[in-house]
Amino acid sequence: MKLYQRITLLVSIVLTVVILAVSLSLLLFAKNTILSLSMEQVQRKQKTLRTSFSEMANYYARSDDSEAVHNSLIKLCFNRFSDQSSVLMRDGKPVSTGVTIDPSVYVTSDSEAFSEGTPVAITVQGRNLLIAGSSASVGTETYSVYVVEDITDTYARIQRMAWIFAGVSIAAIALGAVIVMLLVRRSTKPITALSGAAKEIADGAYEKRVAVRTKDEIGTLGEDFNRMADAVETKISELSERNERQRLFIGGVTHEFKTPMTGLILHAGLLRRANLSEDERDASLAHIEAQTQWLERLTQNLLKLFTSDEEIELESVRIPELLETVEEGVAPKLKEKGAALTVQCETDTLVLNPDLMHSLLNNLIVNAANAYDADAPEKPIVLSVTGRTFSVSDRGRGIPKEAIDRIFEPFFRVDKSRSKKQGGSGLGLALVKAIADAHGASIAVDSEPGKGTTVSVTLP
Amino acid sequence: MKNRILVVEDDAAIRDAVLLNLQFADYDAVAFDDGRKAADALEDDHAFDLALLDIMLPGMDGFELFGIMERFGIPVIYMTAKTDSASEIKGLRDGAEDYIVKPFDPLTLMVRIEKVLKRVGKWNAVYRVKDIVVNTETHTVTKGGEPIELQPLEFDVLVALLRHKNMTVSRERLLNEVWGFDYLGETRMVDVKISALRRKLDLEDAIRSIHKLGYRLEDR
C-alpha cells in the first residue's frame, strides 16, 4: 500500500469518527431541545387550561343543579378554553375531547401517571404524542384535564434532519479524503523523485541529482541526498580512474613482456627443433640471454615501482656521500656513451630514503646519457643539489613539447626504437615519479628539443 | 624460384629467429629493423612476394608501411604484440592478408605464410631437397629426373616435412597438417608413411627421428 493511500485511509477513518460523533451529538441535542420546548409548551398549555376551566366551572356550578345542567355547564366551561388537543375526563371516561384518537385508550388504566401535569411522550397507533394531565375539582367531583399534543410531525422533521446530517457528513468525509489524498500526494512527490534518482544512481547514473526545493524535512533530505550522490560520484570516478590507470599499466606490462617472450619462444624452439650450426646455436643462446636479462631488469623495476608505493623509511643522509655512490653506479653507462658527468653539491644533509633516491638519480642520469646522439660532441651532464632540489641537466636532444606531459607514464617512450636499443624498460621515469611521490617531492621538467633537458626534484 | 619475403621487425631476437626459420623453409628473406629504412630500400628493390611487418616500428610504423607495400602489390602479414581487436580490425580492413599475434609459434607462421602466398597466387609450388623435386601443383615427385610414385598420404607427409624443413615436426602436427584437423588416431600411421618415404626417396639419413619430438627433414 502506498504511503498516500495509507495516510488517506487513516485520515478518512479519523474524519468519519469525528464527524459521526459531532453530528450525532448535534442531532441528539437538537432533538432534546425541540422535545423539551414542546413539553414546556404542553405543560404551560395544560396548566392554563386546567386553571381556567377549574375557576370558571367552580364559579358557575351550583350544588343544586340537576345532573344534565351540571354536565352541560361543565362542557360549556371546558369548551370555552379547549382546542383540538384538549381532553376532559371524569372517572376514566372522556367528557369532552378534541383529539382524534380516543383518549380512553391511553389514559384509562394509568391515569395517575399523567396527574402531575408533567408531560410524558408516548406512541399510540403509530403517532407520537405528548401528554400532560392533572386533576381539577369542581364541587365534589374530580375531573382530569389533559392536553394531548401530536408531535409526530416534529419527530419526522428531526428524522429528516438526521438524514441531512448523514448526507452532509458523508460528503464532508469524502471531500476531506480527496483533499488529504491530493495534499499527501503532492508532498510525497519529492520522495518519489528521490526514490527514482536513487534507483538511477544504483544503476550507474552517478551524475544524477534531485531538484527538491521545499523548506521542510524532505527538502533537507534532498540536499543530503545530493551531497551523498556527490560523494559517491567523486569516489566512483576516482576508483574508475585508478582502475583505468591500473588496466593501462597491466596492459603495458603485458605488452612489454610479449616481445621478449616471443624472442625466447622462437629461439628456444630453434634450439630444440632445428639442426643449427655452432654459430647459429651461439647466436640463439645470446639472444635468449639478452632477453632474459632484459626481463629481469623489467621485473626489478616493476618491483621497485610497487614497493615505492608503500610507506618508505626516511633517514638523515649525507648528500655528498650519496652523490658519490650514484656517480660510481652510472660510470659504466657514461663510459659506454662517452658522456661526462659534473657533480655540484651545496647541501650537506637531507632527510630521504637513500636507496630510492639513488635509484631516482641513477635513472635520471642514464636517461640524460641516452639523450646524446652517438655523433654529437661531448657535453657534460650536470648533477646538482641546491637546498632541497636535486637536478639533472643534459644538453642532448631534448623532449618534444607534446611528449613532456606523458614521459612519466609507464612504458611511454618518445622514440621506441632508440630507448629499446639502449635497454630501457620504459619504467625509468615512472619509477622516478613514484619515488618522488613517495617522498612527497615535486618534479619539474624543462626541455627544449635540440637544446637539452633539465629534470628537478624538490623535496618538501 | 624461391619466394622472396621482406621482414621488418625492430627486435633483433625475433628478427633473427624469423629469418632463420624462413631460410630453413627455402625462402629468400630480407630483413630491416626500421620502417623508414625498409621503405627507402623498397624504392630500388620491391620484388617481394610477401612482407612480414611489425606494427610498432621506429622510423615508420607498420600501418604506414602498408601503404607502400600496397603500391608495390606486396601482400602483408602483421606480426605484433598488439592484441587489442581495434588494431586487428584496422590492419585487416586496410587489406592486410593476415595478422599473427606475438608470441607465436614458428611452425604456425610458416603455415600462414604458405596460405597467404597460395591465396594471392604467388606460391612457388616446387620444393627441392637434394636431387628430389616436389611439385605440389601437379602432385609429382622426381628423383634425379626420374618420376617416383607416392601414395597421396605419403605425398602430403613429405610436403609437410618440406614446409618445415630443418625443423622438427611432431607426429601430431604432421597428422594435423596432412588431414587438416586434429586427428586423434594412431600416430604410428605417420611412422609407416615416413619409412615408405625414406625407402622410396632414399632419404634414410635426411629424415631424422628426433627422440621424443618427431621427425626432421635435414637439408643443410
Side-chain angles (χ1 to χ4, degrees), chain A residues 255 258-259 261-263 265-267 269-270 272-277 280 284 287 291 415-417 420-421, chain B residues 10-14 16-17 20-21 24 54 56 58 81 83 102-104 106 166-168 213 216 218 220:
Chain A
H255 187 264
K258 277 207 172 140
T259 304
M261 286 298 176
T262 309
I265 288 172
L266 290 176
H267 283 287
L270 280 172
R272 192 155 180 245
R273 297 176 183 278
N275 52 335
L276 298 175
S277 68
E280 284 166 343
S284 264
H287 276 310
Q291 300 284 338
D415 184 336
K416 185 198 166 210
S417 66
K420 267 247 174 115
K421 242 176 252 164
Chain B
D10 63 327
D11 185 87
I14 298 173
D16 288 355
L20 215 47
N21 273 301
F24 287 163
D54 188 12
M56 296 239 299
T83 47
K102 293 174 188 172
F104 52 78
N166 291 309
M167 288 291 279
T168 311
L213 278 179
R216 182 160 74 199
E218 294 190 344
R220 25 189 354 226

Side-chain angles (χ1 to χ4, degrees), chain B residues 32 34-45 60 65 68 72:
Chain B
F32 291 93
D34 177 294
R36 171 61 57 194
K37 281 185 216 158
D40 290 345
L42 275 169
E43 295 299 327
D44 299 327
D45 175 14
M60 184 188 269
L65 214 45
I68 293 161
F72 295 121

Side-chain angles (χ1 to χ4, degrees), chain B residues 37-165:
Chain B
K37 281 185 216 158
D40 290 345
L42 275 169
E43 295 299 327
D44 299 327
D45 175 14
H46 49 259
F48 289 99
D49 299 315
L50 180 74
L52 299 176
L53 304 183
D54 188 12
I55 289 179
M56 296 239 299
L57 280 170
M60 184 188 269
D61 75 21
F63 293 131
E64 268 181 276
L65 214 45
F66 179 81
I68 293 161
M69 299 298 158
E70 217 171 21
R71 187 149 62 85
F72 295 121
I74 304 169
V76 167
I77 296 178
Y78 286 121
M79 311 179 289
T80 179
K82 271 194 173 181
T83 47
D84 55 310
S85 50
S87 62
E88 187 167 357
I89 289 165
K90 186 186 183 327
L92 293 176
R93 184 183 291 152
D94 285 355
E97 290 294 334
D98 205 348
Y99 189 101
I100 189 161
V101 175
K102 293 174 188 172
F104 52 78
D105 151 43
L107 300 188
T108 305
L109 179 66
M110 291 305 128
V111 174
R112 298 262 195 113
I113 288 172
E114 217 182 275
K115 272 188 184 154
V116 169
L117 286 172
K118 277 177 183 163
R119 189 158 65 229
V120 300
K122 293 196 173 181
W123 174 238
N124 172 21
V126 181
Y127 289 105
R128 283 169 215 276
V129 56
K130 297 180 190 289
D131 58 344
I132 301 163
V133 178
V134 180
N135 191 319
T136 55
E137 228 158 50
T138 56
H139 276 257
T140 52
V141 182
T142 60
K143 181 173 165 56
E146 293 295 314
I148 306 280
E149 279 297 319
L150 288 184
Q151 289 176 6
L153 286 181
E154 287 167 0
F155 184 86
D156 289 342
V157 170
L158 178 62
V159 168
L161 285 174
L162 284 164
R163 181 182 298 134
H164 304 299
K165 206 162 71 177

